Amino acid sequence: MRRRNFLQLASAALSGCVLPSFARADQTAKPFRFAHLTDIHVQPELSAADGFRKCLAAVNALDVKPEVIVTGGDMVMDVFAHNRNRADKLFALYSDVSKGETDIPFYPCIGNHDVFGWSHRQDVKPEDAAFGKGLVCEKLSLEKTYYAFDQGGWRFYILDDIQMAPDNRYQAYIDEEQLDWLTKDLEAKPAETPALVVSHIPIYTVTTFDKGREDDLAYRVGYSAMCRDAPKLGALFGKHNVKLALSGHHHQLERIEYNGVTYICGGAVCGSWWRGPYRGMQEGFGLVDLNPDGTFAYKYVDYGWNAVT
Ligand SMILES: [Fe+2]
């Protein structure tokens, strides 16, 4: 027994009770646990809903149950390029499984596949309230696609880095209005409070590059694969005690330590879009334990799904 614990126990024995301050100290030291479920891509095909159920069952059964689930985007497969009928079905399926299988509250982050109609405009007009991010906000009761909250002594920032690009495509960056909000909120946060950010497309990444460019002596990462404003965001994080940046999108497990921030791309619940592991990466989710002093532990959990083909 360590000397400090012995002295506390001896003191408790003398007073005839366990010291309340001792009990309080232990509770404060307990990490805040949450699960990061990214790239679920739920769909009626390939038993994806059963896979999502199995994932949530694994989350529920953990020795220490997570207090919240934060998604990493691409909750459905997919509404970017499909019509309204299909979009309604996918969101209904997502809602059924996420609400039916666990009582853990969800904090959603949106991905490119959750944005409605940007590349399929035959039956939806840009002035329709559901177009783009309107539908996911309506379905998940979100006021905005970016927001912040406090848990476990940390401030969480759920960001939306999916922006419209020419030719009905998308690219990754934080738009001006969101950046202004984020900057002001970080400035208002107590400096000692650690923070983490969650985005769908990684702020920094090295696990993707444009294919077919091996001969042009350049390693190129497209702006649909990594935030084009990464240096600006990284500098902002460094000023405001942001310790962790979680993402998805690449269905790969990647960890980058850069200028005091840990950037983790957290695999994928669906692996290779429910067709098996993706480039050797098993279907899984992230388990994060946050300590109030700004340290944390991250673990990727393979929940044992076998693709149905
Ligand atoms: Fe994805």
Side-chain angles (χ1 to χ4, degrees):
M1 183 182 297
R2 292 209 307 251
R3 179 175 163 76
R4 180 181 158 80
N5 288 353
F6 171 77
L7 289 175
Q8 281 170 319
L9 285 175
S11 170
L14 283 174
S15 64
C17 64
V18 175
L19 290 175
S21 59
F22 187 30
R24 271 204 302 273
D26 272 353
Q27 283 193 355
T28 315
K30 200 181 91 176
F32 177 82
R33 171 168 281 194
F34 73 97
H36 176 236
L37 270 59
T38 191
D39 295 270
I40 301 162
H41 288 276
V42 79
Q43 59 181 0
E45 300 79 16
L46 298 171
S47 299
D50 288 338
F52 186 20
R53 283 188 193 98
K54 187 174 172 81
C55 175
L56 290 174
V59 172
N60 290 333
L62 287 163
D63 55 342
V64 177
K65 196 170 163 181
E67 295 186 49
V68 301
I69 291 171
V70 177
T71 76
D74 286 1
M75 292 165 279
V76 294
M77 178 75 220
D78 101 315
V79 303
F80 194 85
H82 285 92
N83 64 27
R84 181 62 190 260
N85 185 35
R86 171 79 175 174
D88 284 341
K89 273 191 191 146
L90 293 177
F91 278 119
L93 186 58
Y94 176 81
S95 184
D96 281 354
V97 177
S98 57
K99 288 182 183 149
E101 297 298 319
T102 187
D103 55 0
I104 304 173
F106 277 71
Y107 287 94
C109 168
I110 73 153
N112 51 295
H113 286 278
D114 305 314
V115 177
F116 176 51
W118 277 4
S119 72
H120 179 92
R121 304 188 181 206
Q122 288 92 327
D123 65 349
V124 60
K125 299 272 179 288
E127 52 273 18
D128 188 322
F131 181 74
K133 298 166 185 176
L135 189 64
V136 67
C137 285
E138 179 200 315
K139 299 290 187 185
L140 302 183
S141 305
L142 289 171
E143 202 179 310
K144 284 194 166 185
T145 51
Y146 57 89
Y147 54 96
F149 59 93
D150 296 304
Q151 286 281 11
W154 285 57
R155 188 142 180 86
F156 286 62
Y157 293 95
I158 309 295
L159 303 181
D160 168 11
D161 61 0
I162 314 297
Q163 312 299 344
M164 195 183 275
D167 303 324
N168 299 348
R169 293 170 61 84
Y170 62 90
Q171 61 179 304
Y173 64 95
I174 301 300
D175 61 278
E176 216 172 297
E177 184 186 311
Q178 187 178 178
L179 184 64
D180 184 54
W181 162 81
L182 176 64
T183 306
K184 285 182 176 143
D185 200 285
L186 283 166
E187 284 168 356
K189 174 184 75 59
E192 67 278 11
T193 300
L196 69 92
V197 301
V198 181
S199 63
H200 177 61
I201 299 177
I203 291 164
Y204 281 106
T205 188
V206 293
T207 52
T208 186
F209 59 95
D210 289 349
K211 293 182 185 73
R213 292 187 181 271
E214 294 83 352
D215 297 329
D216 71 2
L217 303 180
Y219 183 98
R220 294 168 193 263
V221 179
Y223 288 148
S224 62
M226 185 182 117
C227 280
R228 74 177 197 201
D229 51 351
K232 188 164 59 178
L233 293 172
L236 185 67
F237 298 165
K239 271 204 288 188
H240 295 289
N241 206 15
V242 176
K243 297 292 189 191
L244 174 62
L246 292 171
S247 66
H249 194 50
H250 297 312
H251 299 215
Q252 294 286 285
L253 183 60
E254 166 192 76
R255 181 172 177 138
I256 299 168
E257 307 282 347
Y258 183 52
N259 281 345
V261 184
T262 303
Y263 298 85
I264 295 175
C265 183
V269 170
C270 73
S272 183
W273 296 266
W274 300 108
R275 292 180 187 279
Y278 181 60
R279 296 185 186 168
M281 193 66 235
Q282 294 292 331
E283 300 89 347
F285 62 88
L287 194 56
V288 190
D289 289 318
L290 301 176
N291 300 306
D293 66 358
T295 58
F296 66 88
Y298 177 92
K299 184 177 152 193
Y300 189 71
V301 180
D302 171 0
Y303 64 91
W305 178 250
N306 291 313
V308 176
T309 52

